[in-house]
Amino acid sequence: MTSNDDILRALGRVEGRLTGIEDSVSHLRDELSDEKDNAHESRSVIHRRLDEQAKKIAHLDTTMAISGGVDATLREEIKSLTKTVEKNHEAVAPTLEEWKKMKTLGYGISGLIAFAGLTIGGVVAYMSDGAVAALRHWLKIN
C-alpha cells in the first residue's frame, strides 16, 4: 500500500501543477484581456474614421449639389444676358450706322471748309497787292 507521505507528495505535485495551470490560465486571461481591449480600441478607431469619411462624403455631396445649382443658375443668367445683349445690339445697330454716316459726312464737311479756307487764303495772298492799292485809292492815301 501506499503511505500517507506518498499520497501527500502526490497531492503536493498535483497542487503544484494546479498552481502552475492557474498561473498559466491567469496569464492567458491577462493576454486575452489585453488583446480584447486592443481589438476594442482598434474597432473604435475604425468606426471613428468611417464616421469621419461618411461626414466628408455627405459634405461633398452637399457641396456638389450646391455647386450644380449655382452652375445652372449662372448658365441661365448668362443665356438671359446674352439674349439681352443681342437684342440691344440689334436695336442700336441702325443708330450706330447713322453715326458712322454722320461722322463720314463731318469729315467731308471739315475737308471742304479746310479747302475753302486754303483757297480764300491763296486768293487773298495773290490779290493782296492789288487790294492794298485799291484800298489806298479808295481812302485817297498816297
Side-chain angles (χ1 to χ4, degrees), residues 3-56:
S3 69
N4 273 347
D5 288 338
D6 289 337
I7 293 174
L8 287 177
R9 259 187 245 129
L11 281 174
R13 276 187 252 138
V14 169
E15 187 179 343
R17 285 185 183 162
L18 282 176
T19 304
I21 291 173
E22 266 181 12
D23 289 342
S24 294
V25 168
S26 174
H27 182 66
L28 285 174
R29 280 186 183 158
D30 290 341
E31 285 182 6
L32 284 175
S33 175
D34 288 343
E35 285 188 26
K36 187 177 177 182
D37 291 341
N38 288 341
H40 179 71
E41 184 178 333
S42 176
R43 283 192 303 272
S44 75
V45 168
I46 289 171
H47 284 290
R48 192 176 323 116
R49 287 183 181 166
L50 286 173
D51 290 342
E52 288 174 4
Q53 289 298 320
K55 286 179 185 176
K56 287 180 181 179

Side-chain angles (χ1 to χ4, degrees), residues 119-130:
T119 303
I120 292 172
V123 168
V124 168
Y126 178 71
M127 300 181 95
S128 65
D129 290 336

Side-chain angles (χ1 to χ4, degrees), residues 62-136:
T62 304
T63 303
M64 291 301 291
I66 290 172
S67 295
V70 169
D71 285 347
T73 303
L74 287 176
R75 275 190 223 107
E76 290 301 319
E77 287 293 323
I78 289 171
K79 285 179 185 177
S80 171
L81 288 174
T82 303
K83 288 177 184 176
T84 303
V85 167
E86 288 173 357
K87 190 185 307 177
N88 288 343
H89 181 70
E90 290 171 5
V92 172
T95 306
L96 289 176
E97 288 300 320
E98 288 295 321
W99 273 106
K100 287 179 184 177
K101 288 177 184 176
M102 288 174 57
K103 187 177 169 184
T104 305
L105 184 64
Y107 285 148
I109 291 172
S110 295
L112 284 174
I113 290 172
F115 183 71
L118 287 173
T119 303
I120 292 172
V123 168
V124 168
Y126 178 71
M127 300 181 95
S128 65
D129 290 336
V132 169
L135 187 63
R136 283 185 175 183

